[in-house]
Every structure is written in structure tokens, then in C-alpha cells.
Amino acid sequence: MSVHQLNQKTDRENGPVRILRVDASAQGDGSTTRTLSDDLIARLKEIHGHATVTTRDLSQGLPVLDETWVSANSIEPDQRSDAQSSAIELSDRLIAEMQDADILVIGVPVYNFSVPAALKTWIDQVVRPRVTFRYTEAGPEGLLKGKKAYLVAASGGTAVGSEIDFATPYMRYILGFVGIEDVTVIAADRQMIDDTATAKAKAEISELAA
């Protein structure tokens, strides 16, 4: 381990836990994933004593990838045109938020058996070769290792973890692909069928241990 890495590790141990919260629900105050994310972050603050929270709300959407973005992503930063640098600037900021975080809390409302379009666009912006993963002789390697992620899922009729849930397995795979393998799913699923679903998820959050 280099001196820089050692100092960085010591700074993280001595400082507050850094949480990145990602909201994807199109709903506001009525959103189950937003409410449960509030509860989860409050619990994480209890567990860790002190934490800072960066919030990224995707509900208004993000720019979809276009030809300029793709071309910028394929070359070194010092070779990019002004237009290419501008196109990929948001992606750089979103990735920096992930790199800086110790814990990710990601709201995953299940829309039509999968993730919302806004969340998929965020994924497209942050899964980048040579930045959040790289290809090696042994295969792809994630570069965001050593982080913890919570997926706060909610659905009306889809059972999380079932054969028709294409949201949480996908999110687990994506996070693992970029190196985040410690993933916990907290789900308030089948809410139109089970009126205790949210209460069960809240209980699960309250019972989280350090």
C-alpha cells in the first residue's frame, strides 16, 4: 500500500462515514423508496455516529448518451474537444460522487418489472471503462471496491427476488461489475397485495446492526 493510500485510509477511518443517496422514484413525498431511504440513513447515522450525505435525485431525468458522449468516453481527457468535455462532464461528477462514498443508498422502485428509466440512465453515465471498471486478462475488474450498498426497493405487485423481478438482480450485477459486491436489499414489495410490506421493511431497517 502506498503512503497516499495509507493516508487516505486513515482519513476515512477518522472522518465521518460518507453516504451517497440516489433517489429514482418519480413520486415525491408519497414515494415508498424515499421514505424508507430516509429511515435507512437515519439508522446508518445511529450506527456510525456521524455521517455526511450527498443526495442525487434522478427524478427529473439525466441526459441520455449520445454520439458526442460516446466519442468522449473512448479517448483520453486531454484529447477531447470542448464539446466532448462538456458532454461527459456530468458523468465525471456522478462518478466522483460514487468514488467519494463509503456507503450507497439507492432507491429502486420497480417499474414494469425493472428499474426506472432515470436510474438506467444514471447507470449508463457511471459504468465507464478505465474509470469504474477495466478489462484485464482475467476478465472485467470493478474499480469501486471496498464500498457498501443498500438497495431500497418497492413494488406494487412484483415479488422482489422472484423470477419476474428484473430490477434488484440487475442492480446487484451492475454494482458488482464496478466492484461493489457488499449489497443488501431492503424491500417493501407487493404493496398492492400485502399492506404490511412497508412496515416490514421499516422493521428490517430498525434491526440493522453495525
Side-chain angles (χ1 to χ4, degrees), residues 168-210:
T168 60
Y170 172 65
M171 291 301 302
R172 279 187 181 276
Y173 184 85
I174 287 294
L175 291 170
F177 189 77
V178 297
I180 305 173
E181 298 180 349
D182 185 358
V183 180
T184 296
V185 177
I186 297 172
D189 56 346
R190 305 178 77 235
Q191 293 178 85
M192 297 182 70
I193 301 167
D194 180 4
D195 58 9
T196 68
T198 301
K200 290 175 182 176
K202 285 178 174 289
E204 184 176 351
I205 290 170
S206 69
E207 292 168 3
L208 286 176

Side-chain angles (χ1 to χ4, degrees), residues 74-127:
S74 65
I75 59 177
E76 296 299 322
D78 59 0
Q79 298 176 344
R80 293 170 185 157
S81 67
D82 290 344
Q84 289 171 326
S85 296
S86 178
I88 210 164
E89 180 183 7
L90 174 59
S91 173
D92 290 337
R93 293 204 308 270
L94 296 174
I95 289 172
E97 292 173 351
M98 296 181 73
Q99 292 170 329
D100 190 56
D102 303 300
I103 300 173
L104 285 76
V105 174
I106 304 175
V108 186
V110 180
Y111 291 177
N112 298 314
F113 313 107
S114 189
V115 300
L119 184 53
K120 176 58 169 65
T121 306
W122 178 79
I123 290 167
D124 290 343
Q125 292 277 1
V126 301
V127 179

Side-chain angles (χ1 to χ4, degrees), residues 14-75:
N14 293 337
V17 168
R18 290 174 283 194
I19 300 172
L20 172 61
R21 172 177 177 162
V22 179
D23 287 313
S25 174
Q27 290 183 288
D29 294 339
S31 164
T32 300
T33 57
R34 290 177 188 271
T35 299
L36 292 177
S37 292
D38 289 341
D39 293 346
L40 175 56
I41 289 173
R43 179 60 184 147
L44 291 173
K45 288 180 177 179
E46 290 177 355
I47 291 171
H48 295 285
H50 183 42
T52 63
V53 181
T54 298
T55 299
R56 173 61 65 173
D57 192 336
L58 309 177
S59 61
Q60 299 304 309
L62 295 174
V64 298
L65 307 192
D66 59 14
E67 183 178 0
T68 305
W69 191 102
V70 172
S71 63
N73 187 45
S74 65
I75 59 177

